[in-house]
Amino acid sequence: MDVAETEAKLAAGPITAFALTAIALHLLTNLFSAYGVHRDEFLYLAMGRHLDLFRMEFPPAIAILARISMLFGDSLAAIRIFPALAAGALVAMAGLIAAQMGGGRRAQLLAAGCVLMNPLFLRAGNLFQPVVFDQLTWTVGLYALVRLGRTANPRYWILYGIAVGLGLLTKFSALFFGTATLAALIVSRERRWLATPWPWLAMLLVCVIGSPSWIGQIRLGFPVLQQMSDLRESQLERVTAAEFLIGQALLGPGFLIACVGVYWLLRDPRAQGLRVVGWTCVFAFLILLGLKGKPYYLGPIYPALFAAGALTLERPRAGSTLSALRIAAAAVLVSAYGLVLLPIGIPILPPERMARYTEAIGASEANRTNTGELDRLPQDYADMLGWPEQVAAVSEVYHSLPPAERQRAVVIAANYGEAGAIDFYGPALGLPRAVSTAGTYWFFGPGQKPGEVAVTVGIPPEELRKFFGDVRLVRSFTHPWSVAEERNTPIAVASHPYRTLQEVWPSQGGNN
């Protein structure tokens, strides 16, 4: 029997309970967290304050959501409300896809549980970053392909186009998903769709919905190319094929369930109508492997593969004792793995206890930084610590200036984390908005003041002397648990610039 002929009733109540559990877990964590705002979150909030829909360096969906989240306040729970909701939706989508593939109640709950209990998706749902929204848009796109395979209703191409268009508005990796789908159509019997207008209409929708992303790139001279080059040099060059594969295996039992799902989608006669789903996931894997992507980049394919794998474990007789035992064993393994690694997925342990925990369970690899060094905490956690104290130190230096100098002073930061933290915490301390030549902040401009006096953070004095006649190192800031690059951060006062900030700015475009 072809999968398109099967029917399964959605376990709506339990699936909804799983989704609400995910949302509640994130909201409660953020209400009572020992950690603060993440370095990247500062940047996205700053992008929200500087929202210019068709002139953004990055796809602007995150800036749009940042602008909306500001309406709820500046607490962690307010900042992270949208990721929490997206995490819940992702859990629900996994169960829904399992149902649409023909999986029964147990398969649906196992698929949803694989997302709910996996550290990859827990981490994504706990941070205001594009990652969880990227995962969700891909998953909705795969759901559309499942519905196409089951019903042959061409209108699901519209849903696919909307999903990938929103994906392009979120991250440029949506292009990899679209490319993988095209390759999947070509190698499967579903290539017949290419002779109809529907996939091309979907492509048009992608271009229209995602237009702010590509128009912004054209207007700004394609900064994404420089970003990709910088990322390759600083982080991706060290990502080998083995590391990429090991990164997938670290999904634990869920990875095995996903592998079973790929096999079923590509080989089982009952999945004939869903071959394009399996091949899309395979080609996405090959594209990211070839481009030396970080292991988590592949995360968006897993909710659909969890669904296919769970369905396979439930069959051939969904109501049999053996089927129930297989599902129960898989659920126990997934839950146990998720509970052990729960503190790695979401920051429920304070820094000192977290450092001891990763050491105790032998999970030191979770503390490896983007540049390959081992630290005491996962980098995402370290990137949430020390910022209020650093801004307070900058404020002390700023307010120590004579009133006449303070009135003319600007605050210059070396990177977007420092600049974003000043913009977030600084207004309450009487600090002006920061200026920085780092990445996106360069596009915000130098402001109106010429920089006759500058309080700088993170910039070595020897670098400052290239631009200022007088440089005085006031103090070095450090925090025991912050990310390594923010330890021993120099805070200086510089004056007598050789050129104004406005004159210097064009030559410093996007420096990191």
Side-chain angles (χ1 to χ4, degrees):
M1 180 185 297
D2 192 284
V3 70
E5 300 173 25
T6 67
E7 292 183 4
K9 183 179 179 180
L10 178 66
I15 295 297
T16 300
F18 273 33
L20 292 176
T21 298
I23 295 170
L25 184 61
H26 291 302
L27 292 180
L28 289 172
T29 300
N30 292 323
L31 282 172
F32 302 104
S33 180
Y35 299 78
V37 182
H38 188 281
R39 169 195 299 272
D40 292 352
E41 292 172 326
F42 290 133
L43 175 63
Y44 300 133
L45 292 169
M47 289 169 61
R49 288 190 293 269
H50 292 84
L51 181 60
D52 186 354
L53 190 58
F54 289 93
R55 194 181 175 83
M56 300 291 286
E57 183 194 11
F58 287 105
I62 195 72
I64 296 169
L65 292 175
R67 178 69 72 87
I68 297 171
S69 72
M70 292 174 192
L71 300 175
F72 304 113
D74 59 3
S75 68
L76 275 183
I79 292 169
R80 296 175 180 171
I81 182 66
F82 288 118
L85 294 174
L90 202 59
V91 170
M93 286 301 303
L96 178 60
I97 291 174
Q100 293 300 326
M101 286 180 173
R105 180 187 182 92
R106 292 191 179 98
Q108 294 170 39
L109 294 180
L110 178 58
C114 283
V115 176
L116 173 62
M117 298 300 295
N118 197 281
L120 171 67
F121 297 103
L122 286 169
R123 180 76 64 84
N126 201 250
L127 290 172
F128 183 66
Q129 296 176 335
V131 177
V132 69
F133 307 109
D134 184 50
Q135 292 170 349
L136 183 58
T137 55
W138 281 47
T139 299
V140 174
L142 288 168
Y143 168 79
L145 294 179
V146 169
R147 294 297 291 156
L148 274 166
R150 284 205 53 183
T151 68
N153 185 339
R155 288 181 175 81
Y156 282 105
W157 280 112
I158 304 298
L159 177 59
Y160 177 88
I162 292 171
V164 182
L166 291 173
L168 183 57
L169 204 63
T170 302
K171 286 188 73 175
F172 287 116
S173 60
L175 298 175
F176 303 149
F177 181 46
T179 301
T181 302
L182 177 60
L185 288 170
I186 292 171
V187 303
S188 71
R189 72 176 188 178
E190 305 306 319
R191 70 179 67 90
R192 67 182 188 273
W193 281 113
L194 297 175
T196 73
W198 293 98
W200 311 110
L201 178 58
M203 183 180 296
L204 178 62
L205 279 172
V206 172
C207 292
V208 172
I209 295 172
S211 60
S213 294
W214 58 263
I215 290 175
Q217 289 297 306
I218 292 173
R219 294 182 69 186
L220 296 175
F222 292 95
V224 66
L225 299 179
Q226 184 62 48
Q227 294 161 10
M228 292 174 64
S229 176
D230 293 342
L231 189 61
R232 279 195 300 270
E233 292 178 7
S234 63
Q235 299 179 28
L236 300 186
E237 274 303 312
R238 68 174 187 82
V239 180
T240 65
E243 288 173 336
F244 186 79
L245 293 172
I246 291 170
Q248 309 311 312
L250 291 177
L251 288 170
F255 177 68
L256 299 178
I257 293 171
C259 289
V260 171
V262 170
Y263 182 85
W264 181 78
L265 288 168
L266 297 183
R267 302 296 297 173
D268 196 299
R270 291 167 296 187
Q272 184 64 45
L274 301 179
R275 294 285 190 262
V276 69
V277 177
W279 281 117
T280 295
C281 295
V282 168
F283 281 117
F285 168 82
L286 293 174
I287 290 169
L288 291 171
L289 178 66
L291 292 175
K292 293 188 174 183
K294 296 181 184 180
Y296 78 85
Y297 289 1
L298 195 61
I301 71 171
Y302 282 105
L305 295 183
F306 291 156
L311 177 148
T312 307
L313 292 176
E314 188 184 50
R315 290 185 172 184
R317 292 190 299 276
S320 69
T321 301
L322 181 59
S323 168
L325 288 174
R326 282 199 301 263
I327 291 287
V332 168
L333 289 173
V334 167
S335 299
Y337 186 79
L339 288 172
V340 169
L341 295 185
L342 186 64
I344 293 176
I346 52 177
I348 56 176
L349 296 179
E352 190 171 343
R353 290 178 61 191
M354 183 64 199
R356 291 200 302 266
Y357 188 79
T358 55
E359 184 178 356
I361 66 172
S364 59
E365 276 301 309
N367 298 343
R368 192 170 294 281
T369 68
N370 287 334
T371 52
E373 296 85 10
L374 279 176
D375 210 334
R376 294 173 296 170
L377 293 176
Q379 181 164 335
D380 279 335
Y381 292 8
D383 265 328
M384 290 187 271
L385 295 168
W387 300 111
E389 296 87 348
Q390 185 182 96
V391 175
V394 174
S395 176
E396 288 177 12
V397 173
Y398 176 81
H399 287 289
S400 71
L401 297 174
E405 289 189 12
R406 190 163 63 243
Q407 190 174 6
R408 294 179 291 139
V410 296
V411 178
I412 304 176
N415 61 54
Y416 68 76
E418 294 158 354
I422 288 166
D423 284 354
F424 186 80
Y425 296 112
L429 299 175
L431 287 175
R433 296 289 185 187
V435 297
S436 177
T437 62
T440 299
Y441 259 83
W442 180 82
F443 290 96
F444 299 160
Q448 300 300 315
K449 294 181 180 179
E452 296 169 314
V453 179
V455 175
T456 68
V457 55
I459 307 174
E462 57 270 21
E463 184 68 23
L464 287 170
R465 292 189 179 98
K466 298 176 183 178
F467 301 94
F468 293 90
D470 183 49
V471 175
R472 176 168 54 94
L473 178 64
V474 178
R475 62 175 294 183
S476 291
F477 172 81
T478 193
H479 187 281
W481 296 104
S482 65
V483 69
E485 68 184 274
E486 298 301 333
R487 297 172 202 155
N488 300 314
T489 303
I491 302 175
V493 174
S495 59
H496 301 96
Y498 301 131
R499 292 187 292 168
T500 67
L501 282 175
Q502 290 72 25
E503 290 170 338
V504 168
W505 214 255
S507 66
Q508 299 298 306
N511 292 335
N512 290 303

